[in-house]
Amino acid sequence: MKKKWKTLTAVCCAAALALSLTACSGSSDNAGAAAPQEAPADDSAAADTAQTSGRTDLNIRISDAFSTVDPHNLSLNSDIMLCRQIYEPLYWLNDKAEEVPMLATDYSVSDDGLTWTFTLREGVTFQNGDPLKASDVVYSYERCFDNAYMQEKVEAIDSVNAPDDSTVELHLKYQFSPLMEKIASIGIVSEAFVEANKDDQGLLGFLACGTGAYSLKEAIPDVSVTLEAYEGYWGGAAPIKTLNFEQITDDTTAITAFEAGEIDVMSVPSANWEEITSNDAFETAARTSNHVVYLIFNTETEPFNNKELRQAVAYAVNRQDIIDVAADGLAEPATTLATSYMFGYTEDHKSYEYDPEKAKELLAQAGYPDGLDIGSIKTMGGSYFEKVMQVVQAELSEIGITCTIESMDGNSLVNDCITGNFGLADMGQNLSLDYDFLKTYFNEEYINGLNMARFSDSKIQSLFEQGAATTDKEERLAIYKEIEDLTQEACAYVPLYNLQSTTAWTKDLSYTPSITGIMYKDVSWK
C-alpha cells in the first residue's frame, strides 16, 4: 500500500457529547495497556493484594483535554496516556530503552537490515474476544501510513506483509537503526473492529478495541474517562479493576480533591509541590523529564529569517529567571532540544548562555542597532507558557526589542504554529529516546507539521538520513554531534528548560512513575 502523507492539522478538540460505550462491539470483556516490563504468567498474587486493600478502583487526575482514543490519530498527552492502557505495540521500550516483548515474542533482521520478521505471541485476544492475527498488525501499520500524526513512525517502512497468521514482516526502504523505538509507538488495532466502526474520515474517535489490560467503558469529553480491566488479558488480569480519569483543569481544585482523598494519583503543579511533599499522607517523586520547553522562530518571515537576530534573542533570555517564574524553580535549564535520556545527546555543544551585551552586539550586526518591535509573540493563555513569555518579553525589552503577548487557547496556538501564522512563539514537547526524532524539527518534509520553525537545510537533512541508516553506534553518535553543531548555530529554536516530573500518590498505593509512560496494569493497592 502506498503511503499518502497528509498535511498535519491542528490538534483536535474534544467532542461535546457524552459517550457511554463498551470497549468492543459484542463484548462484555474490557481491556487496554502496554507494559514496561515482562508480563507475569500469573497475576494472582497482585490481585490478592488488591482484594486485601478493600479497593479495586483508582482515581486519576487528567489536567488537559482529551479528544480521542484512536491510537493512530494522537497528539494530546492525555490521549496518548489513555491509549497506552488500551492498545499495545509489538515491542515496548522501558525507561532504560530496553526492548520488552509485547504482542511479539521475538524478531530477526535480515543480513541487509531491510527485513524485520516478528513472531506474534500466542493466545492474545482483542477485548471483544477475537484472536490477534498477523493481518491485524499489517492493517494497523498500513493505517498509520495514511495518518499524518504517524508519519515519523513509519516513514522508513516500505511495506508490511503476513506470511502466516503468526508472522509479520516489515520491509524497509533503507536500514533504519531507530526502528524499534518507532515500533513501540504503534498500537495494534483489530481490522474487523475498525472497519465496522470507523467514521467518514476512517477514525475511531471514542470507540476502542485493543489487546491491552484495560478497555474503554465510558468517555464523557471534558469530564471523565472510565477504563475497566480486561479479564482475558494475555498477561493476566490487572489488580486494579476500574480506572477513573477525572479531567480537572484548575490546579487548586485538583489539589483540594487530592488532599481530600478523591484523587489517588496526580502530577502536582510546581506551585503546590512543597505543600504536598511535606504531607506524610502521600508518596512523592520528582525527576527531570523528557519534556523540553522552547521558543520557536518562524524562519521564513522577517525579521526572524535573520540568524543574527535569532541568536540575539537566544542570548537575551535568562533561563533561570524563566524557570523561577514559570516552573517555581522545578526545572533544569536546557541549552539544546536533545535531552539526557536521548541516544545521541551530548553536553559538548554550542550554547547561548545569558549575555545581554552579546545580544546587543548581535542585534546591531543583524541591522537593528537601535532595536526593533517584533509585533506579537504567541503563547497558550492561562498556562506556564504564558509566564514564560512574560519573562521573555521583559528581558527582550532590555536589549531594545519590544513586543506584545498574544495569549490563545492551545489548539489555536498549535494550528498557527503549524501553518506559519506567527513570528515568535513558545511550545513544549515530550521527546523520544533517539536523536533521530529531532529531524521532525529541522527536515523540510515536516514543515506544516512539527517543523514549526519552517527551517530547512540540505546538509542537516542528509546527515539525519545518514544517522538513521548507520548501524554502528559510534558512527551514529558522531553524525548526531555534527547535526547538533549545525542546528545550534542555526538557532531556529531556543531551548529553555526541561520540566521536572512531579508526581504524588496516596501511600497505600504501589506506584512507580515512568518517563516513557505509566502502565496502570502494574499499579496495585498495598
Side-chain angles (χ1 to χ4, degrees):
M1 179 177 181
K2 295 293 184 183
K3 302 162 187 57
K4 296 175 283 185
W5 302 123
K6 299 178 181 178
T7 301
L8 187 62
T9 55
V11 177
C12 300
C13 296
L17 299 178
L19 297 174
S20 181
L21 55 143
T22 57
C24 300
S25 56
S27 171
S28 60
D29 292 337
N30 304 300
Q37 72 270 327
E38 293 284 1
D42 184 355
D43 277 354
S44 59
D48 289 343
T49 300
Q51 292 170 0
T52 301
S53 74
R55 283 190 62 183
T56 59
D57 66 320
L58 187 67
N59 301 317
I60 306 137
R61 180 212 182 181
I62 295 179
S63 59
D64 302 315
F66 51 92
S67 63
T68 183
V69 286
D70 188 322
H72 305 148
N73 194 48
L74 304 174
S75 59
L76 300 177
N77 288 334
S78 295
D79 297 342
I80 294 170
M81 179 273 298
L82 290 169
C83 279
R84 192 177 288 120
Q85 317 309 319
I86 300 170
Y87 294 95
E88 297 176 307
L90 296 176
Y91 268 72
W92 176 252
L93 295 183
N94 63 20
D95 282 3
K96 297 179 181 179
E98 297 167 334
E99 297 175 359
V100 180
M102 294 300 298
L103 297 184
T105 55
D106 58 67
Y107 70 96
S108 62
V109 182
S110 62
D111 290 341
D112 62 6
L114 298 181
T115 301
W116 292 49
T117 303
F118 293 84
T119 301
L120 297 188
R121 186 181 296 276
E122 295 181 359
V124 176
T125 59
F126 288 100
Q127 295 142 8
N128 61 359
D130 290 347
L132 169 71
K133 302 186 298 295
S135 58
D136 294 306
V137 179
V138 174
Y139 179 83
S140 298
Y141 275 73
E142 290 184 342
R143 190 169 185 254
C144 290
F145 292 156
D146 289 333
N147 191 285
Y149 289 113
M150 302 301 290
Q151 174 184 352
E152 185 264 340
K153 310 298 181 186
V154 296
E155 64 182 355
I157 301 173
D158 184 59
S159 64
V160 187
N161 71 285
D164 55 57
D165 280 348
S166 61
T167 307
V168 175
E169 293 179 344
L170 304 184
H171 301 282
L172 308 188
K173 302 178 205 173
Y174 43 81
Q175 288 190 6
F176 188 66
S177 292
L179 182 64
M180 191 57 79
E181 187 194 20
K182 314 306 178 184
I183 287 171
S185 300
I186 300 174
I188 303 305
V189 300
S190 161
E191 177 179 6
F193 181 83
V194 175
E195 287 299 310
N197 292 278
K198 64 184 180 181
D199 62 19
D200 292 342
Q201 285 74 48
L203 304 176
L204 289 173
F206 285 107
L207 296 171
C209 188
T211 61
Y214 289 93
S215 67
L216 180 64
K217 178 184 180 182
E218 182 182 58
I220 307 175
D222 299 324
V223 179
S224 64
V225 174
T226 303
L227 303 184
E228 287 191 345
Y230 174 40
E231 294 302 315
Y233 179 56
W234 61 266
I240 291 179
K241 303 305 179 184
T242 305
L243 301 177
N244 301 306
F245 296 91
E246 302 291 336
Q247 183 175 325
I248 308 175
T249 56
D250 180 71
D251 288 343
T252 300
T253 302
I255 289 295
T256 299
F258 183 58
E259 293 180 324
E262 298 168 5
I263 297 294
D264 299 310
V265 58
M266 66 176 287
S267 294
V268 180
S270 56
N272 303 99
W273 186 240
E274 185 175 352
E275 168 193 353
I276 294 300
T277 54
S278 64
N279 190 328
D280 292 337
F282 307 123
E283 298 281 358
T284 60
R287 61 191 297 189
T288 302
S289 73
N290 214 25
H291 183 94
V292 61
V293 176
Y294 49 87
L295 301 179
I296 315 167
F297 300 106
N298 184 341
T299 62
E300 288 184 342
T301 63
E302 293 185 353
F304 302 113
N305 57 354
N306 185 317
K307 184 180 72 174
E308 284 74 23
L309 176 65
R310 300 196 299 267
Q311 291 177 335
V313 172
Y315 279 117
V317 295
N318 187 326
R319 290 171 176 79
Q320 193 58 53
D321 287 346
I322 293 171
I323 289 169
D324 290 343
V325 172
D328 296 290
L330 294 173
E332 297 295 327
T335 55
T336 171
L337 289 175
T339 73
S340 59
Y341 296 103
M342 184 180 287
F343 176 84
Y345 169 80
T346 176
E347 295 182 354
D348 180 19
H349 60 260
K350 177 182 177 70
S351 62
Y352 296 87
E353 302 296 338
Y354 178 57
D355 189 341
E357 294 306 314
K358 178 69 172 178
K360 291 176 183 178
E361 292 176 12
L362 283 165
L363 196 59
Q365 292 176 26
Y368 303 99
D370 299 320
L372 76 159
D373 184 88
I374 59 173
S376 68
I377 57 177
K378 295 189 175 184
T379 189
M380 187 188 304
S383 69
Y384 63 81
F385 292 108
E386 187 172 39
K387 295 179 180 179
V388 167
M389 282 309 213
Q390 289 168 354
V391 178
V392 169
Q393 180 190 42
E395 293 183 336
L396 289 182
S397 69
E398 295 179 3
I399 68 166
I401 297 178
T402 58
C403 56
T404 57
I405 296 175
E406 182 178 351
S407 298
M408 53 206 313
D409 68 88
N411 292 332
S412 298
L413 175 64
V414 170
N415 184 58
D416 280 357
C417 289
I418 286 174
T419 57
N421 184 29
F422 78 105
L424 176 64
D426 65 341
M427 194 72 67
Q429 174 76 21
N430 290 319
L431 303 181
S432 74
L433 300 178
D434 195 286
Y435 197 96
D436 177 74
F437 177 76
L438 292 183
K439 69 187 176 190
T440 62
Y441 283 72
F442 296 103
N443 283 8
E444 186 175 6
E445 66 265 30
Y446 295 101
I447 292 175
N448 295 323
L450 282 179
N451 184 354
M452 298 178 185
R454 312 183 77 79
F455 177 87
S456 64
D457 181 284
S458 59
K459 184 175 182 179
I460 291 173
Q461 183 136 343
S462 177
L463 286 168
F464 269 118
E465 293 170 358
Q466 292 176 39
T470 300
T471 57
D472 184 273
K473 288 187 176 181
E474 293 304 317
E475 289 182 19
R476 289 189 75 209
L477 289 172
I479 291 170
Y480 292 145
K481 173 63 171 66
E482 187 175 354
I483 294 174
E484 184 76 2
D485 291 340
L486 293 170
T487 55
Q488 289 292 98
E489 174 66 23
C491 197
Y493 304 86
V494 181
L496 298 174
Y497 62 84
N498 298 120
L499 280 173
Q500 279 193 19
S501 176
T502 50
T503 308
W505 59 97
T506 180
K507 278 197 169 180
D508 293 334
L509 192 67
S510 178
Y511 179 93
T512 303
S514 169
I515 291 298
T516 53
I518 186 70
M519 303 297 174
Y520 284 99
K521 73 177 211 53
D522 302 309
V523 176
S524 62
W525 289 104
K526 296 177 181 177

